[in-house]
Amino acid sequence: MEDLGRIAWPPPEPIRTERLVLRESEARDRPTFIELHASPEVHTYLGGPRPRAELEREMPGTPGHRPGSFVVELDGEMIGQLLLRRATTHSRPAAKGKLDLGYLFLPRSWGHGYAAEACEAALDWLTTVFPDEPVILTTQTANKSSMRLAEKLGFTELERFEAWEAEQWLGERLPQGRKSR
Ligand SMILES: CC(C)(COP(=O)(O)OP(=O)(O)OC[C@H]1O[C@@H](n2cnc3c(N)ncnc32)[C@H](O)[C@@H]1OP(=O)(O)O)[C@@H](O)C(=O)NCCC(=O)NCCS
C-alpha cells in the first residue's frame, strides 16, 4: 500500500460534517492511536492487536501523518482513523493500483453512525481529487459491522477470497454516475 502520492495534502481546511471533523493527525492524538492499535475489539477481524508496550515504544511522535490518513474527531477528541491509500501491493489483481478505503474507530464510538458519516465525507473529498476513479475496500465477511458499513457507502462485491485464514470481501464503489457491473 502506498499513500496518495503527489496530491495537495492535507485539504486546505479540515473537512467538517454535521458532527465530525476530519483532519491530519497531530502529536496530541498519540495516546488515542495507541489505544486504537492495542484494542482487541478493534482488531478482532484485523489479525489481533499489538502489545501496548511495543506501541508506546515504537509509535512515532505524530502517528499516521501522511497523505490520505485522516483523524476523525468528535467534540475535539479523536475517535477514529480513516485511511485512503493506493493499493499497490494488494494480492488481488482486481484491486491492484486502485484507491483503497480503510477505517478504525474506538469501540466506545460504535453504533452512532460516525464511521458512515466520516467515510461519506472522505469519499466526497476523494472524488474532488481523483474524479472518475473507483474506490475499493477489503474486509472479512465475518466483520458484520464493517460489511454493513460498506454496503451503506455503496460498495458492491467484486469477489470473496481466502487470506489470513479467513474469508475476505473485496468491494468496489464506482464513481458517481457509473453503473455497477
Ligand atoms: C467497522 C466500524 C467502523 C463500524 O462502526 P459502526 O459504528 O458500526 O458503523 P456506522 O458508523 O455505520 O454506524 C452504524 C450503527 O450506528 C447506528 N446509528 C445510531 N445513530 C445513528 C445515526 N445518527 N446515523 C446513522 N447510524 C446511526 C446504526 O443503527 C448502526 O447500528 P447497527 O450496526 O447496530 O445497525 C467499527 O466496527 C470498527 O472500527 N471496527 C474495527 C475496525 C475494523 O474492523 N475495520 C474494518 C476493516 S477496514
Side-chain angles (χ1 to χ4, degrees):
M1 293 278 188
E2 271 181 12
D3 67 27
L4 292 180
R6 299 175 62 188
I7 56 155
W9 180 266
E13 295 293 330
I15 298 172
R16 287 173 196 282
T17 69
E18 207 177 318
R19 298 177 293 178
L20 307 169
V21 177
L22 277 60
R23 57 167 173 79
E24 64 178 328
S25 61
E26 297 171 7
R28 67 182 167 105
D29 303 317
R30 192 171 186 272
T32 314
F33 270 100
I34 291 173
E35 194 183 340
L36 205 53
H37 288 278
S39 162
E41 263 179 295
V42 171
H43 288 81
T44 305
Y45 304 104
L46 299 173
R50 286 178 61 194
R52 183 173 285 270
E54 181 188 295
L55 290 163
E56 293 280 5
R57 226 176 25 246
E58 294 177 5
M59 190 74 84
T62 305
H65 200 254
R66 57 187 179 76
S69 166
F70 280 113
V71 159
V72 181
E73 187 181 279
L74 170 72
D75 298 333
E77 298 291 332
M78 175 179 174
I79 58 164
Q81 182 190 18
L82 295 185
L83 281 166
L84 300 165
R85 291 172 289 193
R86 188 64 76 177
T88 44
T89 57
H90 206 289
S91 66
R92 311 305 296 173
K96 226 167 225 165
K98 291 185 181 165
L99 297 167
D100 175 284
L101 170 69
Y103 34 75
L104 296 172
F105 282 74
L106 291 173
R108 62 174 175 271
S109 74
W110 297 355
H112 298 277
Y114 296 139
E117 189 170 319
C119 288
E120 283 285 5
L123 289 166
D124 283 352
W125 169 79
L126 197 62
T127 302
T128 66
V129 192
F130 298 103
D132 307 325
E133 280 204 56
V135 181
I136 55 133
L137 177 163
T138 310
T139 191
Q140 283 191 20
T141 51
N143 191 348
K144 296 297 173 210
S145 310
S146 180
M147 291 288 287
R148 273 200 299 277
L149 175 57
E151 188 190 357
K152 235 181 298 175
L153 294 171
F155 285 83
T156 54
E157 181 172 324
L158 276 180
E159 60 175 319
R160 292 175 186 226
F161 61 99
E162 286 289 317
W164 307 291
E165 294 173 5
E167 186 183 57
Q168 309 289 330
W169 186 88
L170 174 63
E172 184 174 49
R173 185 186 199 253
L174 294 173
Q176 303 293 316
R178 259 173 62 190
K179 288 216 178 342
S180 181
R181 282 174 285 165

